[in-house]
Structure formats: C-alpha cells, structure tokens
Amino acid sequence: MKIHIVYAGRNYPLSQQMPSALDLPAGASLAAALAALTSLLEPDTALPASCLVAVSGTHAGTVGRCVDRPLRDGDELLLIAPVAGG
Amino acid sequence: MPEIDLSAANTLSPHELARYARQIGPGVLTIEGQARLKAARVLVTRAGGVGGPAAQALVMAGVGRVVLAHGGALHTADLNRQVLGGEDLVGQGRAVPFARRLQKLNRFVTVEAIDHEPDQQEALRLAREVDLILSCAPTFAERLCLNRAAVAAGVPLIDAAQWGLTATLMVLVPGHTACLRCVYPEDPPFEESFPVLGAISAAVGSLAALEAIKLLSGCGEVLAGRLWLIDAYQGRNTQVQLQARADCPECGAAPPARATDTANPVGT
C-alpha cells in the first residue's frame, strides 16, 4: 500500500532528501512507517522526537511518543517539526 | 465560551455602535457578541511579528482590555515583521510604545503594557485576570509557561507560531481540548534565529485574533482542539484534530474549566 508523506515546519531540509511516498506491506502500522522513514535518513540522524505526527488529519502524538495504529492505503502521514516563531 | 462579566460592559453606546457598525450583522458579530468583546480581557505575549498584528486586530475589533507583554528592545532585523513600530524605535523597548500606538486606534478600549515576559508566577496571576491568552512567544519555554498558567486558571490559550513561510494555530480550551503540553510532551529544540517573512507572521497573528474574537464573542465556529497548519511555501492548508493525553502532566489529571457553557463550550 502507498502512504503519502508530508513534511512541514522546520522539516523542509529533511523533505529534500526524503521520499514523498512510502510503499509498505498491507496492514503496516504507523510505527513501521516511521521506522521505514528513519532507515532512509543519513547515518546518525533521526526524526526529531518532538516532531508532531498526524495520520490523515488525526493527531497521533510525536515521533517520541506516538500511539501506534494501522495505516490504510492512501493515508497521509504528516510530520510537523514544531514551530515557535513569534 | 469563556465566562465574561457583561455587567462591566453595560450596553454599547451610540458612538460604539457607529464605530463597529460594519462588523455587527449577519455572518459577523451580534450586538451581544460585540458587548461581550467590550467586556473581555486578553493577554497577548509577545508583541512581535505575530503578536503585534494579533493585538492590533483585537483592539480594532473592540476587545475591552488588551494587555501586551514584551521585554527587550526592537532590533533592525525585527523590522521586516513589525506593524506597530518602525525604525524610530530601534534600540528601544517595544511594549510601551506599541501599547501607546494601539491605544490611539480605539478610544473605547484599554491597552496596557508589560515591559517584560511574565515568569510562571506572574503568568498565572495574569491568566486569572483575563478571559483568554494569546501565545505569540518565540520560544517553546515561554509558550509552555503560558500553557501551564492557562490550564491552572482555566482560560483558553490560542497558540500562534511561524517558521519560514509556515504557520501553526491552535485553540486550546482547558477541560475541553488538548493543552499545549499534550501536543508537545517533549520540549522541542530552541531555535534562536528562525527565518520569518512579515506576511506569514501577520497572517497567523490576524487569524489568531479572529479565533479569539469568535471565542470571546460567541459568534462563529471556533477551531477548538484543532491545529491549523498553513504551509504557504508549499501552498498547503491542513487541519489536524488534536488528541489530549491522559498522562499529560499539565491537564491530564483533572483539567479545570472556567467556561460555564459546557453544552457549547467554545461558542460555536
């Protein structure tokens, strides 16, 4: 199944080296998707623990504290590195 | 919606009705809603690219008391996003001259200045004196300090932020929605010099004021419990339904709610 990935906030540099979609086995979970993304990062880098995670419009926590859930084909995985500019 | 003491507002004078004539009517505010704004008190911190336009919109709309908190001086690199001050104020503190400028915009409201960022104790005291907090600070530490105060006092917190051409807006109502600590259980990293364009900071500041006006007036549907992501760089507009955390150290145990209209807590 195909999962669309959207990077926002301070994740722009990340988005330039990461795919905009993932092909995962049917029934794969959110944790599997995040693990697949992490495996694509350069060595010694990781998605920020505070990075917000949402699946098709529903908040799922952060990369550091995420409630795992099954994904469906066509889901949009949104990764927002928190912003605080005032 | 927040519990606002309308007795302080009495009724709107003919001069006030004339001033606000274009914003009272179908699809905007009711007369009662305008009176609620007159009686409302809002803390805005800070008065930068986001907080400045937000405070300006609140004052123009007729929010009765706006408290503007900002420490430190205005720098040249700040000028790309200031609507309340210009080059003549570089090197000077912002809160007092910005409040003075805002006061000139509307004689029917009161604008107060606090020339520093409130610490936790002062934030809690201020939270108990206002009906809503608009969080426009440049650090997560300040935002989370305001969140703690808002949750303890049971007043809504509107968190408006930007980075580059991206903005986020959250309307968080204690007792009814997630709080900011639910959203950020880990302290996000601090970035002292973030990229910013005045157009996006003014946009999210104005939208934050709009949510505040809806929440305080009881007019319109409030984005309570949602994160609105405006990614102007990619032309993307997304809303995320936020989830409260049962184990949240700020609101997870027994979140207080000062709002009394539990059937319609956010003025929708």
Side-chain angles (χ1 to χ4, degrees):
Chain A
M1 64 180 182
K2 179 170 280 190
I3 305 299
H4 304 282
I5 317 292
V6 175
Y7 310 88
R10 291 180 290 110
N11 275 336
Y12 284 128
L14 187 68
S15 67
Q16 290 168 7
Q17 67 182 71
M18 298 291 277
S20 59
L22 281 176
D23 282 315
L24 296 172
S29 70
L30 174 57
L34 293 175
L37 285 174
T38 301
S39 72
L40 298 173
L41 293 170
E42 293 178 358
D44 300 324
T45 60
L47 294 167
S50 59
C51 185
L52 267 65
V53 179
V55 177
S56 296
T58 298
H59 182 207
T62 60
V63 167
R65 298 190 198 195
C66 201
V67 178
D68 200 14
R69 51 172 286 180
L71 299 177
R72 291 180 296 189
D73 184 44
D75 267 344
E76 180 184 270
L77 175 55
L78 178 63
L79 299 168
I80 311 173
V83 302
Chain B
M1 69 184 77
E3 184 181 13
I4 294 173
D5 181 9
L6 277 175
S7 64
N10 294 318
T11 55
L12 297 162
S13 69
H15 291 298
E16 287 171 299
L17 288 171
R19 182 183 182 98
Y20 303 126
R22 297 290 295 274
Q23 64 187 47
I24 298 174
V28 198
L29 303 180
T30 60
I31 290 181
E32 184 193 35
Q34 187 69 59
R36 289 177 60 83
L37 285 190
K38 179 181 178 180
R41 305 152 297 176
V42 176
L43 170 64
V44 180
T45 177
R46 300 188 201 181
V50 177
Q56 180 174 271
L58 295 176
V59 166
M60 290 191 298
V63 171
R65 181 183 168 214
V66 175
V67 181
L68 197 61
H70 193 110
L74 187 67
H75 302 287
T76 297
D78 300 328
L79 293 175
N80 73 327
R81 58 194 186 280
Q82 303 303 314
V83 299
L84 300 180
E87 294 179 351
D88 58 321
L89 291 178
V90 169
Q92 300 180 40
R94 298 186 201 184
V96 172
F98 283 14
R100 194 178 300 131
R101 178 179 176 128
L102 286 171
Q103 188 62 76
K104 288 179 180 175
L105 295 178
N106 191 347
R107 65 190 165 101
F108 298 109
V109 307
T110 300
V111 183
E112 299 171 18
I114 298 176
D115 63 0
H116 55 271
E117 284 77 59
D119 61 14
Q120 191 63 68
Q121 188 175 9
E122 185 176 20
L124 179 57
R125 179 181 63 75
L126 289 167
R128 288 176 172 147
E129 294 176 358
V130 298
D131 302 296
L132 186 146
I133 297 173
L134 242 168
S135 162
C136 308
T139 71
F140 286 105
E142 279 186 57
R143 291 173 185 273
L144 290 165
C145 169
L146 292 169
N147 176 71
R148 195 172 302 122
V151 170
V155 298
L157 177 86
I158 296 180
D159 188 82
Q162 63 72 227
W163 186 97
L165 297 187
T166 295
T168 59
L169 179 62
M170 290 178 267
V171 181
L172 307 169
V173 184
H176 298 286
T177 73
C179 78
L180 198 63
R181 183 50 94 180
C182 295
V183 180
Y184 300 130
E186 303 90 359
D187 288 350
F190 173 59
E191 186 176 21
E192 184 162 2
S193 186
F194 52 86
V196 53
L197 188 71
I200 189 71
S201 55
V204 72
S206 295
L207 290 171
L210 179 59
E211 290 305 309
I213 289 165
K214 289 192 293 181
L215 189 53
L216 294 167
S217 69
C219 302
E221 182 172 346
V222 180
L223 292 171
R226 280 181 274 174
L227 179 150
W228 187 0
L229 170 69
I230 302 163
D231 184 339
Y233 193 81
Q234 300 185 79
R236 176 176 286 273
N237 188 25
T238 306
Q239 288 191 15
V240 173
Q241 185 66 48
L242 297 169
Q243 305 294 321
R245 298 184 68 94
D247 63 348
C248 175
E250 303 295 347
C251 76
R258 203 166 79 184
T260 54
D261 185 0
T262 53
N264 186 17
V266 290
T268 58

